[in-house]
Amino acid sequence: MKNKPKFKFRLTRRAFAYPYMIFMLLFVVVPLVIILINAFLDDNKQFTFQNFVEFFSDAGGGLTVLGNSLVIGLVTTLICLVIGYPVAYFLAKYHASSRVFVLLFILPMWVNFLIRTLSTKALFMQLNVPLGMGTVLFGMVYNYLPYMILPLHTTLVSIDHSYIEAAEDLGADKMTVFLKTVLPLSLSGIVSGVTMTFIPAISTFAISEILSSSKIFLFGDAINMHFSKTTNSLGVGSVMSLVMLLLVILSNVAVNLTSKDEEVSAL
Amino acid sequence: MKKRRIFARICADGYLGLVLALMYLPIFLIIVFSFSGGSRFSFSNGFTFDSYKLLFDPEENGALLSALKNTAILALSASVISTVLGAFSTIGIYALGRRMKKLTLTVNQLPMINSEVVMAVSLMVFFATDFFSDIFPQGMVRLIISHVAFCTPYVVLSILPRLQRMDPNMYEAALDLGANPFSAMLKVVFPYLMPGIVSGFAMAFTLSLDDFIITQFNKGDTGIETLSTYIYEDARVKSLEPFWFAVFSIFFVVMFALLLLINIKKTAKEVRK
């Protein structure tokens, strides 16, 4: 801002951001504010805490569903981590130069998840596997595994190999090198992989519906139900959305804490 | 020692192969048995193209074709709008003051980190309010707006790093050489940002193409179906019909061929460099 013309131009350039800021304010921020307001309104648009009471006293079973979803989400995330970490590790160790091989593990992400889920359902029906908790978990892991592998692979590949060599030179055996060098260095990948699996896993609907013939009901299904035309209990649905939003923010804080300067790849 | 290393490598590759096999098993079976003409995994009728013939039956394919058309219109318009909006706003955001920039980028992150269900219901409730329901008509308009809202953040974030790396002198030089700010933008800044703009567009297009939850909540009762909502409405109730075997197979093959081709080309380009 040494001379005037430059300053003047900066103002005009800034103006390019204004339409987008208004757009995001209107279609991202305002809708969330409406949800927040709805959480405090009853059917006659009067202020009330009844929605929170109803959710947290579990009259509609919301809390139970949340508990179930958290458990299923945790188990799914754990299985994905246990299967996915070795995949990302071996890929980084032995196939770092082969992009296509890595791509094969990520590819299913681009096929519509309904198509993938219905394909697994067809397989279960063929094998006469009864639809239930097991099949839902399989479908969840099947769907979210690539989302776990991708960030893990990105961090594992970017680890400076000289750290590993230094650890070996200092006399660490293989296990120690892994536990004390590789694992801590890949922490940011683990956290972002866990978030990318856990949040969609607890809030999804359709996967549990398709793979359990609607027997298993998750948090996403519950939100869906509260906002559907037949039930129409916007208040409780809004409270559930706020709870979901809180979980999202918490997990995002965790991601930011572990990867302060690194860019977290979103796709 | 060497033998042990080879053994470890074989174990690792075996593990990778096993995971890949499991990941692709359902897809592979669908493709193979799309040639059985039935919806069971057996060749009791022998090898036929019956499932594929259904694709050309006007009675079967009417709804599919209109869903495909809607999906294409939606994905194209949403990705074009979010690319243009994203490209201009990134330049604007970059020039913003420190605090405003941080705030805008935080709001920009919201649709990316937020759970899709929450974003979908919040938009649905927003469109249902008395005030906004008259302004934004049901159907395609609402769908395009909501898709632009969740796609543009990705466009912004794919252009921003490139803009940060750009030498500000390039733009100044264009001004010194007599370009007005607008043509300097058009002829110097945008060409430099092109790789980011293209990848942002590709990302927006695939995100919009793949979306199910936000579309499902915001399609309203105008009867608009995209491919994902149509699959959901049709195939979830009944078991998978032969028709879907053929459709899914075509999708798998086209998708995989396209992505492999793009990436092999990319790799080849890098090798040449």
Side-chain angles (χ1 to χ4, degrees):
Chain A
M1 273 179 266
K2 280 175 220 152
N3 44 14
K4 241 191 160 173
K6 196 181 167 193
F7 180 69
K8 205 172 172 193
F9 179 68
R10 278 177 70 96
L11 266 183
T12 51
R13 207 157 42 143
R14 221 176 263 199
F16 282 135
Y18 296 156
Y20 182 56
M21 285 156 89
I22 294 168
F23 182 89
M24 292 304 267
L25 191 71
L26 192 59
F27 297 111
V28 175
V29 179
V30 171
L32 289 177
V33 172
I34 294 179
I35 289 281
L36 184 67
I37 295 171
N38 267 324
F40 292 98
L41 294 180
D42 62 13
D43 292 342
N44 304 316
K45 307 260 175 222
Q46 296 301 309
F47 178 84
T48 175
F49 285 111
Q50 194 52 41
N51 300 320
F52 288 88
V53 173
E54 199 173 310
F55 176 72
F56 287 104
S57 67
D58 206 24
L63 223 46
T64 319
V65 174
L66 178 63
N68 287 343
S69 308
L70 288 175
V71 170
I72 289 185
L74 273 176
V75 174
T76 303
T77 311
L78 258 175
I79 299 176
C80 282
L81 188 62
V82 168
I83 299 177
Y85 199 93
V87 170
Y89 181 74
F90 291 145
L91 280 175
K93 195 169 182 188
Y94 300 114
H95 301 280
S97 54
S98 160
R99 197 198 197 122
V100 173
F101 199 50
V102 176
L103 186 74
L104 277 180
F105 284 91
I106 317 291
L107 262 184
M109 251 163 72
W110 276 277
V111 176
N112 193 302
F113 82 99
L114 284 167
I115 296 184
R116 279 182 285 143
T117 306
L118 284 163
S119 303
T120 35
K121 189 184 179 181
L123 179 63
F124 287 136
M125 305 264 276
Q126 181 67 31
L127 296 171
N128 283 322
V129 178
L131 297 179
M133 188 60 90
T135 48
V136 170
L137 275 176
F138 183 95
M140 292 276 205
V141 172
Y142 181 66
N143 258 293
Y144 296 119
L145 190 55
Y147 294 89
M148 180 64 89
I149 294 176
L150 184 58
L152 281 176
H153 180 256
T154 316
T155 32
L156 281 171
V157 160
S158 65
I159 289 178
D160 192 342
H161 206 73
S162 49
Y163 287 126
I164 296 164
E165 278 161 18
E168 279 168 353
D169 288 347
L170 291 168
D173 59 88
K174 282 209 160 124
M175 207 55 198
T176 318
V177 170
F178 177 75
L179 285 178
K180 299 233 157 146
T181 311
V182 180
L183 202 60
L185 283 174
S186 62
L187 187 67
S188 68
I190 296 178
V191 173
S192 86
V194 165
T195 314
M196 281 171 77
T197 318
F198 184 66
I199 292 296
I202 49 176
S203 66
T204 184
F205 80 104
I207 296 182
S208 45
E209 187 186 354
I210 291 169
L211 286 176
S212 74
S213 302
S214 304
K215 268 180 287 185
I216 291 172
F217 202 64
L218 296 187
F219 207 49
D221 302 294
I223 294 178
N224 175 33
M225 191 198 78
H226 281 289
F227 281 95
S228 70
K229 288 223 171 54
T230 42
T231 19
N232 209 354
S233 43
L234 285 184
V236 180
S238 301
V239 172
M240 291 179 135
S241 305
L242 288 181
V243 171
M244 196 60 234
L245 199 61
L246 190 71
L247 287 170
V248 168
I249 291 168
L250 282 179
S251 61
N252 205 55
V253 167
V255 172
N256 286 338
L257 282 180
T258 51
S259 59
K260 271 228 155 95
D261 320 296
E262 293 168 68
E263 262 178 69
V264 183
S265 78
L267 258 179
Chain B
M1 195 62 199
K2 208 171 180 193
K3 241 184 197 164
R4 249 177 87 187
R5 198 171 287 168
I6 293 171
F7 179 69
R9 168 110 206 223
I10 291 173
C11 281
D13 280 351
Y15 178 72
L16 290 177
L18 187 72
V19 174
L20 264 191
L22 263 176
M23 271 170 103
Y24 284 89
L25 180 71
I27 299 173
F28 178 73
L29 286 175
I30 290 281
I31 296 177
V32 168
F33 290 102
S34 68
F35 295 104
S36 76
S39 54
R40 300 291 291 174
F41 288 0
S42 77
F43 279 109
S44 50
N45 303 329
F47 183 93
T48 74
F49 287 101
D50 285 355
S51 312
Y52 290 90
K53 277 179 199 150
L54 290 174
L55 296 180
F56 298 98
D57 181 352
E59 244 172 68
E60 291 270 351
N61 69 15
L64 178 71
L65 287 181
S66 97
L68 276 178
K69 200 181 93 193
N70 288 334
T71 310
I73 294 173
L74 179 58
L76 267 179
S77 24
S79 52
V80 168
I81 295 172
S82 40
T83 307
V84 174
L85 185 66
F88 278 104
S89 55
T90 311
I91 292 168
I93 290 169
Y94 184 64
L96 284 174
R98 208 159 200 259
R99 233 182 247 160
M100 257 338 245
K101 191 175 179 178
K102 204 171 171 206
L103 182 71
T104 315
L105 285 178
T106 307
V107 175
N108 188 61
Q109 274 231 309
L110 262 179
M112 301 172 78
I113 60 165
N114 199 357
S115 153
E116 262 193 294
V117 178
V118 177
M119 171 133 191
V121 293
S122 70
L123 275 165
M124 184 180 89
V125 174
F126 169 83
F127 285 132
T129 49
D130 296 331
F131 183 70
F132 292 111
S133 64
D134 296 331
I135 306 176
F136 306 106
Q138 271 199 27
M140 207 41 122
V141 175
R142 288 185 189 184
L143 284 180
I144 290 175
I145 289 175
S146 40
H147 277 224
V148 170
F150 81 82
C151 289
T152 320
Y154 292 89
V155 178
V156 170
L157 282 198
S158 73
I159 299 176
L160 197 61
R162 225 182 138 72
L163 192 62
Q164 278 161 345
R165 261 181 285 140
M166 185 175 171
D167 186 350
N169 291 330
M170 271 165 75
Y171 176 76
E172 308 281 327
L175 291 187
D176 286 348
L177 290 169
N180 61 22
F182 186 70
S183 67
M185 195 70 81
L186 215 63
K187 296 205 167 157
V188 177
V189 180
F190 276 125
Y192 183 80
L193 298 181
M194 216 22 131
I197 295 176
V198 170
S199 75
F201 173 79
M203 217 182 266
F205 187 75
T206 41
L207 279 170
S208 166
L209 204 64
D210 222 33
D211 178 72
F212 163 65
I213 297 180
I214 287 170
T215 315
Q216 174 73 12
F217 278 99
N218 290 293
K219 63 180 186 181
D221 14 74
T222 44
I224 284 189
E225 300 280 1
T226 62
L227 187 67
S228 14
T229 62
Y230 176 49
I231 292 173
Y232 179 72
E233 300 298 343
D234 190 88
R236 114 197 115 113
V237 200
K238 304 168 247 172
S239 62
L240 225 45
E241 283 170 72
F243 173 72
W244 287 113
F245 275 67
V247 176
F248 288 4
S249 301
I250 292 173
F251 262 91
F252 289 137
V253 173
V254 170
M255 228 34 208
F256 284 10
L258 218 66
L259 281 161
L260 279 176
L261 202 76
I262 292 169
N263 274 274
I264 288 169
K265 250 191 167 167
K266 243 191 210 163
T267 318
K269 225 181 182 177
E270 268 160 27
V271 169
R272 239 182 284 142
K273 270 184 189 166

